[in-house]
Every structure is written in structure tokens, then in C-alpha cells.
Amino acid sequence: GDRDNDDKKKDDEPKIEVAPFVPSANRWVPKSRAKKETTEVEKKFASDGVTELFEKDEIERKMKSLLNKLTLEKFDPISADILALANLSKWETNGETLKTVIEQIFLKACDEPHWSSMYAQLCGKAVKDLDPEIVDETNEGVTGPKLVLHYLVVRCHTEFEKGWTDKLPTNEDGTPLSPEMMSDEYYKMAAAKRRGLGLVRFIGHLYRLNLLTGKMMFECFRRLMKDLNNQPSEEVLESVVELLSTVGEKFENDSFNAGPATLEGSALLDSLFGLLQQVIDGGEVSNRIKFKLLDMTELREKNWASDKKDQGPKTITQIHEEEELARALKQANSRSNSRRSNRNNSNRNSSRREGPPPNAKDKDNFTSTRSFSQRSQRTPQKEPEPAPALHTSASTNMFSALMDNNSDDE
């Protein structure tokens, strides 16, 4: 009854009118929905009236989406879509779209060092297949694929000269900061280190694909050697190790002309490893860095032969093939081990049955059973020699023979 009365009271109360919700003008709208809300009038088209052009932020969004999907299995179709975006620069005079595409590839390669070889291949495909009609008014005489190389070299050189220590968090007085684990500063330091070493590795893979010349790589080593002369920091030493592990084998056999002289990569590496040996002998670096430098020295002594060469990105097919090969190798080793153990057991059993070899004087020959040892210790008895045969006739017997002998004696 009380519940019914309460319901009646609620029904009798006057209802309060609430104004409908009005979206604000600066509300957040997903980009996918915002794109649908745009009208056809806002779209930009090239002079042919068919090709749609995009703003810089739209190119960045499309590039991030494509690079996130890029794998070795999907390399061909996704790289074709990326090249289609880059080729939109042929409708421009300043190469703005191509710059944005190269910038996004560069940032992604630095942020993901493990995949830097794949992003270097993407740059190589852009150099090979880009529309040669693309121009940039600020770089006269450089068009098409050469423009890609120009943007890459300038971007890599700028970041390499700055280094990545300036991106590390510091104290108010500028001294290095030792952040606590899992803090914001810790993650900033880890990201700066990952991108710094990723830049060095990306430069190395560009050089391995001949997108950067030996002279450019010589400048990179010269820049690092300059820092090695003045109490090098661990960041510099790690950059040296990363660059050597990526390009050491190729640079060792490379040479290039510098005016009238010819510079050999092996000669520069001799000087570089001499500086590294001084750092190792000095003992002023941590054991972690010291062992990295020692490993790199041993790697060069082994002619850069390492089991870690193929640790880059792989296709699913390659992974399955490696697993199958490892499984087959493991089975072959197990079968050979089982055959070896069976052979040893059979040899042991046969030796027990046959006993020691004929040479009983050898002190290393032991009998396997007590009965055999006892038998071997007994001296063999000589058989009695047969008595001489008596020259008698068949009709006489032993007694008659004796009687005859007695009669002869008489």
C-alpha cells in the first residue's frame, strides 16, 4: 500500500522540462566522421579534375595508417599506396607531399629499429619507382628519385649531427638526470635512446642498399671518432657499436675518392678500433659497454662472421622454414646420439662375452666374471705321454710277456 501511495505522489509532481543537449562548436569529432561530414565542395582536385589532393595533416594521417600496416608480406601493395601518395607531388611546385611522406618514413624507422631494414627498402623502392617529373623549386636541378635521396640525406645528416643526448631529460642546471624506474622521465629517456640508436641503424641500412655513399658513411664515422677523443659518453659508444654492427663488413671493403687520394674503409676502421681499445684499457666505462666493445673487436677479428646477421624482420614463411629446419636438425642429432649409444652398448656386451684378449700379461685386460678369472689363474696340466708300444705278437698276453722276460733274465 505504501508503495502505491509513493507512486501516486510521483505522478502528481510537476515534471521539470530539460533543454535538449546542444553540441558545442569546438567539440571533438573523430576524423573518420569528420571526413564523412565534409562536402564535395571542400575537396581539392588537381588540374586534371580527377586526382584528389590532400592537406598535409591528411597525408600524415594516411601515412601513419599505411606504415602501421606495413609488413614484409604486405610490402608490395602497401608500398604501392605510399608511392601513390608521394606521386601527388607532381601537381605541386615545392614537393610538400613528398617531404611529408619521407618525414613519416624517417620517424617510423627511427622509432622501430628492428624494422629499419624494411623501411630502408621502402625508400629504395621510392627512389626506383617515383615519378621523375616531381620538382622542388627550392632545389633546382634535383627531380624525381634524386629528390628522395636529397630529402633523406638532409634529414639523416641533421639529426645525426644533433645527436640524441639533447633529447634526454636533465636537471634544472642541465646535468644528466637519473630518473626513477617507471617514471615519466624514465620513459622519455628510453624513447630518446631508442630513436637515437634507431637513426644510426637506419643510416646503416640505407648505406647497405647503396642509397648513401661511402663518403657519407666516412663522415658519420669521423663525427663519432671526434667524440671518442674527449672522454666519450656511453651514448656515443653505443652509437659506434650500433653503426659498426650494421655496416662494418661492407665498410671494411669499401673505398672512395677524396680529391686526388683514395680513402680505404679498412684504414679508417683501424684508427677507430685503436680509439676503442684505449677506451677499453682506460676502464672508465661500465662493464656493459666494455663487453660490447670487446664483442665488436672479436667480431672484426672473425671477419664480421656472426650468427646474428639474420635477426631482422622475416616473413611468416621464413619463420616456419627455420623452425622446420631446426626441428629436422634436432631429430637428426637425437637419432645419431641413439645410434652411438646403441653401438657402445653392443661393444660393451660383446667384450663381456668374449673375455680378455689372448695376451694375458697385459695388466689393462681384466676379466668380467669371477669364474673366468679363476679359470685363467689355473696352470694348465700336461697330459701324460703315452707308454712305448710293446713289440709282441697278437696271440701273447701280458702274463706270457712277463714270463718270457723272466726266462730271459735267467
Side-chain angles (χ1 to χ4, degrees):
D2 296 337
R3 183 178 298 174
D4 295 339
N5 294 332
D6 293 339
D7 293 339
K8 289 180 180 180
K9 289 180 180 180
K10 290 181 180 180
D11 294 338
D12 295 340
E13 292 179 357
K15 296 181 178 181
I16 301 175
E17 295 184 0
V18 179
F21 178 76
V22 179
S24 59
N26 60 349
R27 70 187 186 281
W28 179 84
V29 179
K31 292 184 178 180
S32 58
R33 185 183 300 175
K35 181 182 177 181
K36 294 179 181 178
E37 294 176 357
T38 56
T39 61
E40 296 293 334
V41 179
E42 296 177 353
K43 291 183 178 181
K44 294 182 180 180
F45 290 92
S47 57
D48 61 352
V50 178
T51 305
E52 183 180 0
L53 302 178
F54 304 99
E55 297 292 337
K56 182 178 179 179
D57 58 347
E58 184 69 12
I59 295 293
E60 291 178 353
R61 187 186 68 81
K62 288 179 177 293
M63 279 298 301
K64 290 178 181 178
S65 177
L66 290 172
L67 291 175
N68 287 336
K69 300 173 186 176
L70 184 63
T71 60
L72 291 179
E73 288 85 359
K74 301 178 181 179
F75 184 83
D76 291 335
I78 293 181
S79 61
D81 294 339
I82 293 175
L83 280 176
L85 290 177
N87 283 329
L88 294 177
S89 286
K90 68 181 180 180
W91 306 105
E92 303 169 344
T93 58
N94 56 359
E96 184 67 26
T97 300
L98 181 59
K99 288 180 184 177
T100 305
V101 170
I102 297 300
E103 177 69 14
Q104 292 301 315
I105 296 175
F106 175 84
L107 294 176
K108 193 71 170 178
C110 294
D111 197 49
E112 298 180 357
H114 180 74
W115 301 90
S116 56
S117 61
M118 183 181 65
Y119 296 121
Q121 294 177 20
L122 180 60
C123 295
K125 186 171 183 179
V127 171
K128 180 181 177 182
D129 300 334
L130 191 69
D131 193 330
E133 297 180 359
I134 297 177
V135 296
D136 185 357
E137 292 178 347
T138 59
N139 297 280
E140 296 182 0
V142 182
T143 60
K146 293 183 179 180
L147 205 54
V148 177
L149 293 176
H150 175 74
Y151 292 153
L152 278 174
V153 170
V154 171
R155 194 70 175 88
C156 292
H157 182 267
T158 302
E159 289 298 319
F160 190 81
E161 286 294 327
K162 290 193 303 184
W164 51 279
T165 55
D166 61 336
K167 301 180 180 62
L168 298 175
T170 58
N171 295 315
E172 294 181 357
D173 57 354
T175 57
L177 177 66
S178 299
E180 297 180 358
M181 188 70 69
M182 309 301 287
S183 62
D184 293 340
E185 290 78 11
Y186 171 81
Y187 287 112
K188 289 180 181 179
M189 180 175 290
K193 180 179 179 179
R194 183 181 68 250
R195 295 189 182 103
L197 296 179
L199 168 64
V200 174
R201 192 169 186 178
F202 181 58
I203 291 174
H205 282 289
L206 290 176
Y207 167 70
R208 290 173 60 174
L209 293 178
N210 298 320
L211 297 177
L212 297 181
T213 63
K215 185 176 181 181
M216 298 176 185
M217 196 54 53
F218 175 81
E219 293 296 330
C220 293
F221 277 117
R222 192 168 64 97
R223 170 72 170 78
L224 293 174
M225 291 174 65
K226 182 180 178 182
D227 295 335
L228 288 176
N229 289 320
N230 280 322
Q231 296 181 352
S233 62
E234 291 192 354
E235 290 79 11
V236 172
L237 294 174
E238 285 193 87
S239 298
V240 173
V241 171
E242 189 69 33
L243 191 59
L244 285 173
S245 61
T246 307
V247 305
E249 183 178 7
K250 180 178 173 62
F251 190 76
E252 182 86 45
N253 303 315
D254 199 358
S255 61
F256 54 93
N257 297 324
T262 300
L263 298 179
E264 299 288 341
S266 59
L268 184 141
L269 290 183
D270 290 340
S271 302
L272 176 61
F273 276 92
L275 294 175
L276 295 181
Q277 189 61 44
Q278 294 178 7
V279 174
I280 295 173
D281 297 337
E284 297 180 357
V285 295
S286 63
N287 289 334
R288 181 179 67 89
I289 299 298
K290 182 178 180 180
F291 289 134
K292 278 190 173 185
L293 298 178
L294 290 173
D295 291 342
M296 196 54 55
T297 304
E298 293 177 0
L299 183 62
R300 192 193 183 197
E301 293 175 354
K302 296 178 181 178
N303 294 325
W304 307 99
S306 174
D307 298 333
K308 300 180 180 180
K309 285 185 178 181
D310 299 329
Q311 288 191 344
K314 300 176 183 178
T315 61
I316 297 178
T317 304
Q318 290 175 337
I319 295 174
H320 290 171
E321 290 177 353
E322 290 180 358
E323 290 180 353
E324 187 65 25
L325 181 61
R327 191 182 300 109
L329 184 61
K330 184 178 180 181
Q331 292 176 355
N333 291 335
S334 62
R335 284 196 297 267
S336 62
N337 292 334
S338 63
R339 284 197 299 267
R340 191 179 299 110
S341 61
N342 292 336
R343 190 181 303 111
N344 294 336
N345 292 333
S346 62
N347 293 338
R348 192 178 299 112
N349 294 333
S350 62
S351 63
R352 289 178 179 176
R353 289 193 301 268
E354 295 174 359
N359 187 9
K361 295 181 180 180
D362 191 356
K363 63 181 180 179
D364 293 334
N365 296 328
F366 301 97
T367 56
S368 59
T369 60
R370 181 180 178 184
S371 61
F372 186 85
S373 62
Q374 292 175 352
R375 287 196 303 269
S376 63
Q377 293 174 1
R378 297 176 183 174
T379 57
Q381 298 179 357
K382 298 182 179 180
E383 297 181 359
E385 298 180 357
L390 299 176
H391 301 283
T392 59
S393 61
S395 59
T396 59
N397 55 22
M398 185 181 298
F399 296 103
S400 61
L402 291 175
M403 291 299 292
D404 292 338
N405 292 334
N406 292 333
S407 61
D408 293 337
D409 294 336
E410 293 177 353

